[in-house]
Amino acid sequence: MALKIVKGSIDRMFDKNLQDLVRGIRNHKEDEAKYISTCIDEIKQELKQDNIAVKANAVCKLTYLQMLGYDVSWAAFNIVEVMSSSKFTYKRIGYLAASQCFHESTDVIMLTTNQIRKDLSSPNQYDTGVALTGLSCFVTPDLARDLANDIMTLMSHTKPYIRKKAVLIMYKVFLKYPESLRPAFPRLKEKLEDPDPGVQSAAVNVICELARRNPKNYLSLAPLFFKLMTSSTNNWVLIKIIKLFGALTPLEPRLGKKLIEPLTNLIHSTSAMSLLYECVNTVIAVLISLSSGMPNHSASIQLCVQKLRILIEDSDQNLKYLGLLAMSKILKTHPKSVQSHKDLILQCLDDKDESIRLRALDLLYGMVSKKNLMEIVKKLMLHVDKAEGTTYRDELLTKIIDICSQSNYQYITNFEWYISILVELTRLEGTRHGHLIASQMLDVAIRVRAIRVFAVAQMATLLDNAHLLTGNMQRMGICEVLYAAAWICGEFSEHLENPMQTLEAMLRPKVATLPGHIQAVYVQNAAKLFATVLKNQEGNTDSTAAQETSQLMIDRLPLFVQSANLEVQERASCILQLVKYIQKLQQKDVEVAEEVCALFAGELNPVAPKAQKKVPVPEGLDLDAWINEPPSESESEDEQPKAIFAKEEPKHSRPRHTEVDEKELARRREARKQEQANNPFYIKASPSSQKAYQEAPGVEHIPVVQIDLSVPLKVPDIAVFRPAGLPMSDQYVKLEEERRQKERADKKKKEKKKRKEKRSGRGRKHDSGPESEEDITPAHMVDIVTEEMPENALPSDDDDKDPNDPHKALDIDLDKPLADSEKLPVRAHRAAEAPKSPAEDGEAENAASQEPKKKSSKEKREKKKDKDRDRKKSKEEKKKKKHKHEEKGEDLLGGQADEPVVQSEETNEVAALPTSTSAEVSDLDFWLSNAPVPSNTQEAATVAEAAPVPEAASGTAPDSEPEEPKDTEMEETKSSKHKKKKQKKEKEEKEKKKKKKHHHHHHHSDGGGEESVQNGTVEEEEPLPPMSNYCLLAENSYIKMMMEDADEVYDIQGNLQDGSQVVVSVIFENKCDSFLKSMEFNVLDSLNSKLQRPEGSGPHDGLTVPFQLPPGVSNEARFVFTVQSIVMPQKLKGTLTFIVKNEDSSTHEKLDFKLHFTCTSYLITTPCYSDAFAKLLESGDLKCSSVRLEGVIMPFHHLLARICFHHHFSVVERIDSCASMYSRSIQGHHVCLLVKTSGQTVSIDAKCDEPTLLGNVLDEIKQTFSQC
Amino acid sequence: MIKAILIFNNHGKPRLSKFYEHYNEDTEQQIIRETFHLVSKRDENVCNFLEGGMLIGGSDYKLIYRHYATLYFVFCVDSSESELGILDLIQVFVETLDKCFENVCELDLIFHVDKVHNILAEMVMGGMVLETNMNEIITQVDAQNKMEKSEVMCFVTFINQCPCLDICSMQGHCFAFHTASASR
């Protein structure tokens, strides 16, 4: 026994490791498979041992064997064992093996959940890293759901190494578990501005990947990305962002306008080719998206084309390739600018590099014109002959067909030439595209009436020479063309010169070797031919010939009756019986030809692709409705007869329904025809196409268009399949050339005549000159039959979406605020798992409250926007009136004239129900309407991103000087006015901006004087909507003053940039019927807090409120206070004085109020990472204090949310019923909270470097919770 | 997104295969064969982009490859990746290998495919580019190797047998780098 153990361990010492395995395989080249199978047996033994090192070694070897193509899924459980080793070395081996061979259907994956979770939270960053890397390869929907929350926590990990991996893997999690996208998105967005460039790049990567699939949901991030683009220097990030913009611009042309300039700058400045190329690409996308021109539109195109030409001319094949690739994008919208580089592109066709030739081929598509089509195709045909590889040749073939058939054969002037090209293409050996050629032949023959005679002749030749096509098996692909040939000869048999010969060709025994579907067509069309032949022969009064034909059919058809193919068999036996019957009749000398022809009368018209799909569901037809009563489960035996009865009922009622429908349909059909007749863009089908079925049998009534006789219709020797000299198509090129010359000559003659008549020598410019497109008349009067569409076809383009696209699930609106129910699932013991456990909710809140500021402000904004939106309409009308007003003169602003109107509008606005609109989008509008100057954008971006417009403007506008609070206010109102104006009238943009600048400047210089008047106008255009969550400051019969409620939003907004500034917004609402003007706002300064007044005014002077209030109108003003100490709450007494102006009198009134500054209002929500938080607590500078709240009956996460919301904290970390929170005052005091809950008791331990402030904040928190 | 990363030699022998989407082993081998077939018949001085892999990809996907001495490095990527960027990435990858293996040659890849995987894991994760900075990659790889070593010191195993004494003598096949494009 002991010996066995010793022996085992000695064996182990001689186990092979990976290197030995590799060496062994290399030494057993001749019997590799055998050697490996013995190795696998050894590995199986090793995996049975308990020693983890042995197992890891075995798994490592398995990973190698997996690469060689051996299935190792049988070892999945062992891989999981190795993954769960505590040693990093083995863990890494295990995860690598798992990432190589696990997938969604590996069942042991579900065993890994806890192990992975443990590794994710490991103190060793590389354990976490390895787990993340592995998980990224085998994440399943279950894993994604269970681990999403853990990964999300890792996104705020202290180590950038972990952060960047966590951010990146989120994309995989989103794909597998789309519900996680919305809860996780705020944090992901946050990571765009991570201090670590690697994390930032990862976040950009993920968002770009998301946005690529569903760009419209990410439009609101454009400002942020714009900022990144102008600030980042990392080329990888830049490339990603620029690519992303390329995806966004088609949705928002204004974005494109904004992008052009910085992109052009980058193009000029960058030395990195990859970046240059992506910039050019995006500029192209922008130009495509801009439908109407912008001033330097063509300059940008020129720049792009120029740069691309440089790329294409480069000796580096890669650049050449990319240049061509990008060129083909320009081609779609600006073919002219590409066409000028035709020389270059034709040159690339001869490149030795196949990739480049293919790209050049793509470009050719857009280069062709009526004039050069033949020439280009001739060149391509030469390439076809030379091409060695079949793939390239097939590509050439499809390109030739693409080029010729594009936009309804627009560039083909001579269809005979085209048919002969197609026939020539059938000579290609081993092409896969026989069906493509066949469908072209069919299409042309059906849709171009004039060509049928020629086509039929060619097809007959093809059929005659079918043996050449079916000669060897390699050519099987091409025999598809026989399908087309047989059909054309049958369907248009009246054009055949020698139908009898063709009929014989179609009934050759060799035909039986063709694929079944082709034989079927042969048989069917032989019958058609037979009908034609009969008809011809009966006219000749020679009955024997007709009978011989019948006999031929009867002789040959049995071959097909024996076919293994059902279709062939069925058709053949039907037709055989028919012919036998005909023969009988013929023997009785009955004229049958007429009747036989009737079998195949009527023309088959082409049907548009997707036509079937577009048949509208007729009114009254519900496809989802049950035809029968659904079988009810409770149905009992004795009820059954009744059920049968019920089933029959609908049958009776149905015919009636359809009758109604038919009437309705007929009516609609009429209406549609009427509409089509009036629609100049509708290409009418030939008048015969519809009626042909019902009226005349035969096709004589079809107006076959006269063929232009200037073309010699003598087909150059079609009997010989492969003419020795020039290929047929070349002869057509020559002929066509001659024809064109002749035409030109004719034209000249005519012109000369005219000139002679006129005797004026002005016609010079028409002379000679290169032929223009329009001059070339097609050889045939081409009458292209339009494809048939069902009656009342619905125009719809939505049928090309793949319903199985995994990215579809990620099409999620990210701008909507998070709902409570949206959260990431958190680990919970199954027993305790309630459908909606509070812990889970809390976790979601935790996630969401990372940005309580943004969120709350977003909500607030949304409300605002809702109202704004509702107002817009009325405002537009109003604006028109007001404009008139202004024209009349400013003193009219006292405005009695329009008063009633205005009033009613305003009340409407207030009463209007909020509609759901996206705040982000409006902000985006604002951002987009801004000047495309990079220096401005940073500010603008923040405005759009972070907070409600006015507040952000005051918070970030660098030029809002504290001395001039009104100026700040001006800026805001203006900018918001600006914003709305832009939405309506983009053209006025520039003017407005000038105006804005002007105003701004003006106020800086002298800040007083006519200010109030101007402000008056401003106000008139843009009353800001009242906020529902403002608290009442003071009120009397004339006016109501409301301050934003400190507990709800940031009424008193700390200003980070200036440590001791506080902005207060106050809404003034006119409650009376009179006009309020000359409002003055004054506050009795305390030692600590002072109202900022304009320079030069005394300490007790009031501030003029920068607007006047018509009746019922409200407006918001903001006042800046300087605060010395923020540790105590403050109360300031103030007065508002104003003049109430009636039609006949005016009185002076005043209103007293008290401003309350809470300590909370000095706090600013600042996110904090847990490591920084821990450091802060460790530092020991902070004083401690605590408070207990009793009887708080709300879930913990609600409690946290409340603190975040009302007191401007952010959650740092949360573990079960315990959370740490952080905030910062405007003067940089750190406030840290540790909130614990047990039952109804909440204890808050707090630390702050300023004990007084802390005490007051805690008091306020206590108060908040006592209120609820 | 990167769909797959393949390394094989001039004879089509796989040296590393990393698929970021699941295929079964047979398909993987077919893909490797097909890719080799496509790539190997191309001349030296043609462009490094290639369309038209049948098994992998489709119209949105491209093969971007580089050929170093005896090895082909092939990335199969979709249109969200910059072509030139990926070429640079391959260059970074190979240079990193060169640093980590000190004059890397095919034999290093043959015998240490696990290490190559570990290096690759620091560059590309789940099909997305994780890090492009060579120094950062090397730092992380070294730190992990150090950790592994310290573990190995404690637990006597046979993993640390120096496997390639005979290989060192064979390092004739060092790669010649096309550093010209590194500046891009």
Side-chain angles (χ1 to χ4, degrees), chain A residues 19 23 67 87-89 92 100 103 124 126 161 164 172 212 316 318 321 353 359, chain B residues 17 22 29 47-48 51 78-79 111 122 126 131-132 140 144 147-148 151 155 163 184:
Chain A
Q19 283 75 33
R23 204 169 294 132
M67 181 181 80
K87 295 279 153 298
F88 171 73
T89 317
R92 184 155 78 165
Q100 290 293 85
H103 51 94
N124 181 342
Y126 292 113
Y161 178 73
K164 81 184 169 192
K172 293 275 173 170
R212 199 164 69 93
D316 185 340
N318 292 330
Y321 171 87
D353 189 344
R359 290 280 73 82
Chain B
S17 68
H22 176 70
Q29 293 304 307
C47 73
N48 299 106
E51 293 146 73
D78 70 9
S79 61
F111 286 105
E122 295 303 321
E131 185 61 67
T132 52
Q140 302 298 350
Q144 290 176 51
M147 224 172 93
E148 190 176 293
E151 281 179 2
F155 298 85
R184 223 185 274 139

Short mmCIF file of all heavy atoms in Angstrom, two decimals, chain A residues 19 23 67 87-89 92 100 103 124 126 161 164 172 212 316 318 321 353 359, chain B residues 17 22 29 47-48 51 78-79 111 122 126 131-132 140 144 147-148 151 155 163 184:
data_model
loop_
_atom_site.label_atom_id
_atom_site.label_comp_id
_atom_site.label_asym_id
_atom_site.label_seq_id
_atom_site.Cartn_x
_atom_site.Cartn_y
_atom_site.Cartn_z
N GLN A 19 5.52 21.61 -21.86
CA GLN A 19 6.64 21.60 -22.79
C GLN A 19 6.96 20.19 -23.27
O GLN A 19 7.26 19.96 -24.43
CB GLN A 19 7.88 22.23 -22.13
CG GLN A 19 7.84 23.74 -22.08
CD GLN A 19 6.88 24.25 -21.02
OE1 GLN A 19 6.70 23.62 -19.98
NE2 GLN A 19 6.23 25.38 -21.27
N ARG A 23 6.90 18.85 -27.04
CA ARG A 23 8.07 18.20 -27.61
C ARG A 23 7.71 16.80 -28.11
O ARG A 23 8.11 16.40 -29.20
CB ARG A 23 9.17 18.11 -26.55
CG ARG A 23 10.56 18.00 -27.13
CD ARG A 23 11.60 18.20 -26.04
NE ARG A 23 11.58 19.54 -25.50
CZ ARG A 23 11.56 19.83 -24.19
NH1 ARG A 23 11.52 18.87 -23.31
NH2 ARG A 23 11.56 21.08 -23.78
N MET A 67 -6.41 23.75 -28.59
CA MET A 67 -6.01 24.58 -29.73
C MET A 67 -5.79 23.71 -30.97
O MET A 67 -6.03 24.13 -32.09
CB MET A 67 -4.75 25.36 -29.39
CG MET A 67 -4.28 26.27 -30.50
SD MET A 67 -2.79 27.12 -30.07
CE MET A 67 -1.58 25.86 -30.37
N LYS A 87 -4.24 29.25 -5.23
CA LYS A 87 -2.99 29.75 -5.80
C LYS A 87 -3.26 30.46 -7.12
O LYS A 87 -3.93 29.91 -8.01
CB LYS A 87 -2.01 28.59 -6.04
CG LYS A 87 -1.56 27.91 -4.79
CD LYS A 87 -0.45 28.67 -4.14
CE LYS A 87 -0.41 28.42 -2.64
NZ LYS A 87 -1.60 28.83 -1.89
N PHE A 88 -2.66 31.62 -7.24
CA PHE A 88 -2.86 32.39 -8.46
C PHE A 88 -2.40 31.61 -9.69
O PHE A 88 -3.06 31.60 -10.72
CB PHE A 88 -2.09 33.71 -8.34
CG PHE A 88 -2.05 34.50 -9.62
CD1 PHE A 88 -3.20 35.15 -10.06
CD2 PHE A 88 -0.91 34.58 -10.38
CE1 PHE A 88 -3.18 35.87 -11.23
CE2 PHE A 88 -0.88 35.29 -11.57
CZ PHE A 88 -2.02 35.94 -11.99
N THR A 89 -1.27 30.93 -9.54
CA THR A 89 -0.71 30.19 -10.68
C THR A 89 -1.73 29.23 -11.27
O THR A 89 -1.93 29.18 -12.48
CB THR A 89 0.51 29.37 -10.21
OG1 THR A 89 1.28 30.19 -9.35
CG2 THR A 89 1.33 28.92 -11.38
N ARG A 92 -4.99 30.90 -12.64
CA ARG A 92 -4.81 31.47 -13.97
C ARG A 92 -4.92 30.38 -15.04
O ARG A 92 -5.55 30.56 -16.07
CB ARG A 92 -3.46 32.17 -14.04
CG ARG A 92 -3.23 32.87 -15.33
CD ARG A 92 -2.25 33.99 -15.22
NE ARG A 92 -0.86 33.53 -15.17
CZ ARG A 92 0.18 34.34 -15.36
NH1 ARG A 92 -0.02 35.62 -15.60
NH2 ARG A 92 1.40 33.89 -15.31
N GLN A 100 -11.07 29.28 -22.93
CA GLN A 100 -10.88 28.68 -24.24
C GLN A 100 -11.99 27.69 -24.59
O GLN A 100 -12.30 27.51 -25.75
CB GLN A 100 -9.52 27.96 -24.32
CG GLN A 100 -8.33 28.88 -24.32
CD GLN A 100 -8.24 29.73 -25.56
OE1 GLN A 100 -8.86 30.78 -25.64
NE2 GLN A 100 -7.48 29.29 -26.54
N HIS A 103 -18.59 27.60 -22.89
CA HIS A 103 -19.53 28.44 -23.64
C HIS A 103 -20.89 28.30 -23.00
O HIS A 103 -21.02 27.61 -21.97
CB HIS A 103 -19.55 28.04 -25.11
CG HIS A 103 -19.74 26.58 -25.33
ND1 HIS A 103 -20.97 26.03 -25.54
CD2 HIS A 103 -18.86 25.56 -25.34
CE1 HIS A 103 -20.84 24.72 -25.67
NE2 HIS A 103 -19.57 24.41 -25.56
N ASN A 124 -6.41 40.41 -3.81
CA ASN A 124 -5.33 40.42 -4.80
C ASN A 124 -5.89 40.87 -6.15
O ASN A 124 -6.78 40.23 -6.71
CB ASN A 124 -4.77 39.01 -4.92
CG ASN A 124 -3.62 38.93 -5.90
OD1 ASN A 124 -3.45 39.83 -6.73
ND2 ASN A 124 -2.86 37.87 -5.82
N TYR A 126 -4.77 40.71 -9.03
CA TYR A 126 -4.60 39.85 -10.19
C TYR A 126 -5.57 38.67 -10.18
O TYR A 126 -5.96 38.18 -11.23
CB TYR A 126 -3.14 39.39 -10.30
CG TYR A 126 -2.24 40.56 -10.63
CD1 TYR A 126 -1.30 41.03 -9.74
CD2 TYR A 126 -2.41 41.22 -11.85
CE1 TYR A 126 -0.52 42.13 -10.06
CE2 TYR A 126 -1.63 42.31 -12.17
CZ TYR A 126 -0.69 42.77 -11.28
OH TYR A 126 0.08 43.85 -11.58
N TYR A 161 -6.29 49.26 -12.77
CA TYR A 161 -6.18 47.98 -13.48
C TYR A 161 -7.49 47.21 -13.43
O TYR A 161 -7.94 46.64 -14.43
CB TYR A 161 -5.05 47.17 -12.83
CG TYR A 161 -4.83 45.79 -13.42
CD1 TYR A 161 -4.24 45.65 -14.66
CD2 TYR A 161 -5.22 44.65 -12.73
CE1 TYR A 161 -4.03 44.39 -15.19
CE2 TYR A 161 -5.02 43.39 -13.25
CZ TYR A 161 -4.42 43.27 -14.50
OH TYR A 161 -4.22 42.04 -15.02
N LYS A 164 -10.50 49.29 -15.26
CA LYS A 164 -10.62 49.25 -16.72
C LYS A 164 -11.15 47.90 -17.17
O LYS A 164 -11.94 47.81 -18.12
CB LYS A 164 -9.29 49.62 -17.37
CG LYS A 164 -8.25 48.55 -17.48
CD LYS A 164 -6.96 49.10 -18.08
CE LYS A 164 -5.87 48.06 -17.91
NZ LYS A 164 -4.54 48.54 -18.19
N LYS A 172 -20.02 43.04 -22.21
CA LYS A 172 -20.45 41.64 -22.34
C LYS A 172 -21.65 41.38 -21.44
O LYS A 172 -22.58 40.64 -21.81
CB LYS A 172 -19.30 40.71 -21.93
CG LYS A 172 -18.13 40.78 -22.86
CD LYS A 172 -18.37 39.83 -24.02
CE LYS A 172 -17.29 40.01 -25.06
NZ LYS A 172 -17.33 38.98 -26.08
N ARG A 212 -22.78 52.14 -31.44
CA ARG A 212 -22.70 51.73 -32.84
C ARG A 212 -23.98 51.00 -33.24
O ARG A 212 -24.43 51.10 -34.37
CB ARG A 212 -21.51 50.81 -33.00
CG ARG A 212 -21.00 50.64 -34.38
CD ARG A 212 -19.63 50.04 -34.31
NE ARG A 212 -19.68 48.67 -33.85
CZ ARG A 212 -19.75 47.62 -34.68
NH1 ARG A 212 -19.77 47.81 -35.96
NH2 ARG A 212 -19.79 46.41 -34.21
N ASP A 316 2.44 52.51 -49.87
CA ASP A 316 1.96 51.54 -48.90
C ASP A 316 0.60 51.01 -49.34
O ASP A 316 -0.36 51.75 -49.48
CB ASP A 316 1.85 52.22 -47.53
CG ASP A 316 1.48 51.22 -46.45
OD1 ASP A 316 0.95 50.14 -46.79
OD2 ASP A 316 1.71 51.52 -45.26
N ASN A 318 -1.52 49.30 -47.81
CA ASN A 318 -2.59 49.44 -46.82
C ASN A 318 -3.31 50.77 -46.98
O ASN A 318 -4.52 50.85 -46.93
CB ASN A 318 -2.02 49.35 -45.41
CG ASN A 318 -1.52 47.97 -45.11
OD1 ASN A 318 -2.06 47.00 -45.65
ND2 ASN A 318 -0.50 47.86 -44.30
N TYR A 321 -5.41 50.83 -50.06
CA TYR A 321 -6.65 50.10 -49.85
C TYR A 321 -7.67 50.95 -49.09
O TYR A 321 -8.82 51.09 -49.50
CB TYR A 321 -6.33 48.83 -49.05
CG TYR A 321 -7.52 48.07 -48.57
CD1 TYR A 321 -8.11 47.11 -49.38
CD2 TYR A 321 -8.07 48.29 -47.31
CE1 TYR A 321 -9.20 46.40 -48.94
CE2 TYR A 321 -9.17 47.58 -46.86
CZ TYR A 321 -9.73 46.64 -47.68
OH TYR A 321 -10.81 45.94 -47.26
N ASP A 353 -2.45 43.54 -56.27
CA ASP A 353 -3.10 43.15 -55.02
C ASP A 353 -4.61 42.99 -55.23
O ASP A 353 -5.30 43.91 -55.64
CB ASP A 353 -2.82 44.24 -53.97
CG ASP A 353 -3.28 43.82 -52.61
OD1 ASP A 353 -4.06 42.85 -52.52
OD2 ASP A 353 -2.84 44.46 -51.64
N ARG A 359 -11.56 46.68 -54.27
CA ARG A 359 -12.03 48.00 -53.83
C ARG A 359 -12.22 48.92 -55.04
O ARG A 359 -13.16 49.68 -55.11
CB ARG A 359 -11.05 48.61 -52.86
CG ARG A 359 -11.01 47.94 -51.51
CD ARG A 359 -12.16 48.38 -50.62
NE ARG A 359 -13.43 47.82 -51.04
CZ ARG A 359 -13.83 46.60 -50.72
NH1 ARG A 359 -13.08 45.84 -49.97
NH2 ARG A 359 -15.00 46.15 -51.13
N SER B 17 -4.65 30.28 -30.74
CA SER B 17 -5.95 30.66 -31.28
C SER B 17 -6.80 31.17 -30.14
O SER B 17 -6.85 30.56 -29.08
CB SER B 17 -6.62 29.46 -31.95
OG SER B 17 -6.97 28.50 -30.99
N HIS B 22 -18.05 31.77 -29.48
CA HIS B 22 -17.86 30.33 -29.37
C HIS B 22 -18.07 29.62 -30.71
O HIS B 22 -19.03 29.86 -31.43
CB HIS B 22 -18.82 29.75 -28.36
CG HIS B 22 -18.72 28.26 -28.29
ND1 HIS B 22 -17.61 27.63 -27.76
CD2 HIS B 22 -19.53 27.28 -28.73
CE1 HIS B 22 -17.76 26.33 -27.86
NE2 HIS B 22 -18.92 26.08 -28.44
N GLN B 29 -10.94 24.73 -36.14
CA GLN B 29 -9.86 24.25 -36.99
C GLN B 29 -10.11 24.63 -38.45
O GLN B 29 -9.17 25.03 -39.15
CB GLN B 29 -9.74 22.72 -36.89
CG GLN B 29 -9.28 22.24 -35.52
CD GLN B 29 -7.97 22.88 -35.11
OE1 GLN B 29 -7.00 22.84 -35.83
NE2 GLN B 29 -7.95 23.50 -33.94
N CYS B 47 -1.53 44.58 -49.48
CA CYS B 47 -2.03 45.20 -48.26
C CYS B 47 -2.38 44.14 -47.23
O CYS B 47 -2.57 42.97 -47.55
CB CYS B 47 -3.20 46.11 -48.55
SG CYS B 47 -4.72 45.27 -48.93
N ASN B 48 -2.46 44.59 -45.98
CA ASN B 48 -2.64 43.65 -44.88
C ASN B 48 -4.10 43.41 -44.52
O ASN B 48 -4.39 42.87 -43.46
CB ASN B 48 -1.90 44.17 -43.64
CG ASN B 48 -0.42 44.30 -43.89
OD1 ASN B 48 0.11 45.39 -44.03
ND2 ASN B 48 0.24 43.17 -43.98
N GLU B 51 -10.76 40.64 -47.07
CA GLU B 51 -12.16 40.38 -46.79
C GLU B 51 -12.49 38.99 -47.28
O GLU B 51 -11.78 38.42 -48.08
CB GLU B 51 -13.03 41.39 -47.53
CG GLU B 51 -12.87 42.77 -47.01
CD GLU B 51 -13.01 43.77 -48.13
OE1 GLU B 51 -14.14 43.96 -48.59
OE2 GLU B 51 -11.99 44.34 -48.53
N ASP B 78 -14.37 43.52 -36.70
CA ASP B 78 -15.52 44.10 -37.40
C ASP B 78 -15.25 45.57 -37.69
O ASP B 78 -14.17 46.08 -37.41
CB ASP B 78 -16.81 43.87 -36.63
CG ASP B 78 -16.86 44.69 -35.36
OD1 ASP B 78 -15.98 45.55 -35.17
OD2 ASP B 78 -17.77 44.47 -34.56
N SER B 79 -16.26 46.25 -38.20
CA SER B 79 -16.01 47.60 -38.71
C SER B 79 -15.83 48.63 -37.60
O SER B 79 -15.52 49.78 -37.89
CB SER B 79 -17.16 48.03 -39.62
OG SER B 79 -18.35 48.04 -38.88
N PHE B 111 6.28 26.54 -27.27
CA PHE B 111 6.37 25.90 -25.96
C PHE B 111 5.69 26.70 -24.85
O PHE B 111 5.47 26.17 -23.78
CB PHE B 111 7.85 25.68 -25.61
CG PHE B 111 8.45 24.55 -26.40
CD1 PHE B 111 9.31 24.80 -27.45
CD2 PHE B 111 8.12 23.24 -26.09
CE1 PHE B 111 9.85 23.76 -28.18
CE2 PHE B 111 8.65 22.19 -26.83
CZ PHE B 111 9.52 22.44 -27.87
N GLU B 122 -3.73 40.74 -21.36
CA GLU B 122 -3.54 42.10 -20.87
C GLU B 122 -3.77 43.13 -21.97
O GLU B 122 -3.83 44.33 -21.70
CB GLU B 122 -2.12 42.27 -20.31
CG GLU B 122 -1.84 41.43 -19.07
CD GLU B 122 -2.83 41.72 -17.95
OE1 GLU B 122 -3.19 42.89 -17.76
OE2 GLU B 122 -3.24 40.75 -17.28
N GLY B 126 -12.04 39.93 -23.97
CA GLY B 126 -13.39 39.69 -24.47
C GLY B 126 -13.64 40.31 -25.83
O GLY B 126 -14.76 40.68 -26.14
N GLU B 131 -5.61 47.44 -23.51
CA GLU B 131 -4.45 48.29 -23.25
C GLU B 131 -3.58 48.30 -24.50
O GLU B 131 -3.36 47.26 -25.13
CB GLU B 131 -3.69 47.72 -22.05
CG GLU B 131 -2.53 48.55 -21.60
CD GLU B 131 -2.94 49.94 -21.15
OE1 GLU B 131 -3.63 50.05 -20.13
OE2 GLU B 131 -2.58 50.91 -21.84
N THR B 132 -3.07 49.48 -24.83
CA THR B 132 -2.23 49.55 -26.01
C THR B 132 -0.82 50.03 -25.65
O THR B 132 0.04 50.09 -26.51
CB THR B 132 -2.82 50.53 -27.03
OG1 THR B 132 -3.08 51.76 -26.37
CG2 THR B 132 -4.09 49.98 -27.61
N GLN B 140 2.28 44.76 -15.97
CA GLN B 140 1.28 43.85 -15.40
C GLN B 140 1.69 42.40 -15.59
O GLN B 140 1.53 41.60 -14.68
CB GLN B 140 -0.10 44.09 -16.06
CG GLN B 140 -0.64 45.51 -15.93
CD GLN B 140 -0.86 45.93 -14.49
OE1 GLN B 140 -0.78 45.11 -13.58
NE2 GLN B 140 -1.14 47.20 -14.28
N GLN B 144 2.53 39.71 -12.50
CA GLN B 144 1.86 38.42 -12.35
C GLN B 144 2.86 37.28 -12.36
O GLN B 144 2.72 36.31 -11.60
CB GLN B 144 0.83 38.23 -13.46
CG GLN B 144 -0.36 39.16 -13.30
CD GLN B 144 -1.35 39.05 -14.44
OE1 GLN B 144 -1.78 37.95 -14.77
NE2 GLN B 144 -1.70 40.17 -15.02
N MET B 147 4.43 37.06 -9.04
CA MET B 147 3.54 36.42 -8.08
C MET B 147 3.58 34.91 -8.24
O MET B 147 3.62 34.17 -7.27
CB MET B 147 2.12 36.92 -8.32
CG MET B 147 1.39 37.27 -7.07
SD MET B 147 -0.12 38.05 -7.52
CE MET B 147 -1.17 36.65 -7.54
N GLU B 148 3.55 34.51 -9.50
CA GLU B 148 3.58 33.08 -9.78
C GLU B 148 4.86 32.46 -9.22
O GLU B 148 4.84 31.43 -8.58
CB GLU B 148 3.48 32.87 -11.29
CG GLU B 148 3.26 31.44 -11.69
CD GLU B 148 3.07 31.32 -13.19
OE1 GLU B 148 2.05 31.83 -13.69
OE2 GLU B 148 3.94 30.74 -13.86
N GLU B 151 4.87 32.00 -5.55
CA GLU B 151 4.06 30.85 -5.16
C GLU B 151 4.82 29.55 -5.42
O GLU B 151 4.80 28.64 -4.62
CB GLU B 151 2.75 30.83 -5.95
CG GLU B 151 1.73 31.79 -5.40
CD GLU B 151 0.45 31.77 -6.20
OE1 GLU B 151 0.35 30.99 -7.16
OE2 GLU B 151 -0.43 32.54 -5.86
N PHE B 155 5.85 26.28 -2.95
CA PHE B 155 5.34 24.93 -3.17
C PHE B 155 6.19 24.26 -4.23
O PHE B 155 6.19 24.68 -5.38
CB PHE B 155 3.89 24.99 -3.63
CG PHE B 155 3.01 25.58 -2.61
CD1 PHE B 155 2.86 26.96 -2.54
CD2 PHE B 155 2.34 24.80 -1.68
CE1 PHE B 155 2.06 27.53 -1.59
CE2 PHE B 155 1.55 25.38 -0.73
CZ PHE B 155 1.40 26.74 -0.68
N PRO B 163 12.28 24.65 -18.97
CA PRO B 163 11.86 23.76 -20.05
C PRO B 163 12.67 23.88 -21.31
O PRO B 163 12.61 23.00 -22.16
CB PRO B 163 10.44 24.21 -20.31
CG PRO B 163 10.43 25.64 -19.88
CD PRO B 163 11.52 25.86 -18.89
N ARG B 184 3.39 54.71 -36.92
CA ARG B 184 2.05 55.11 -37.29
C ARG B 184 1.11 55.18 -36.11
O ARG B 184 1.09 54.32 -35.27
CB ARG B 184 1.51 54.12 -38.30
CG ARG B 184 0.79 54.81 -39.42
CD ARG B 184 0.17 53.80 -40.34
NE ARG B 184 1.12 53.36 -41.34
CZ ARG B 184 1.23 52.11 -41.72
NH1 ARG B 184 0.51 51.17 -41.16
NH2 ARG B 184 2.09 51.78 -42.67
#
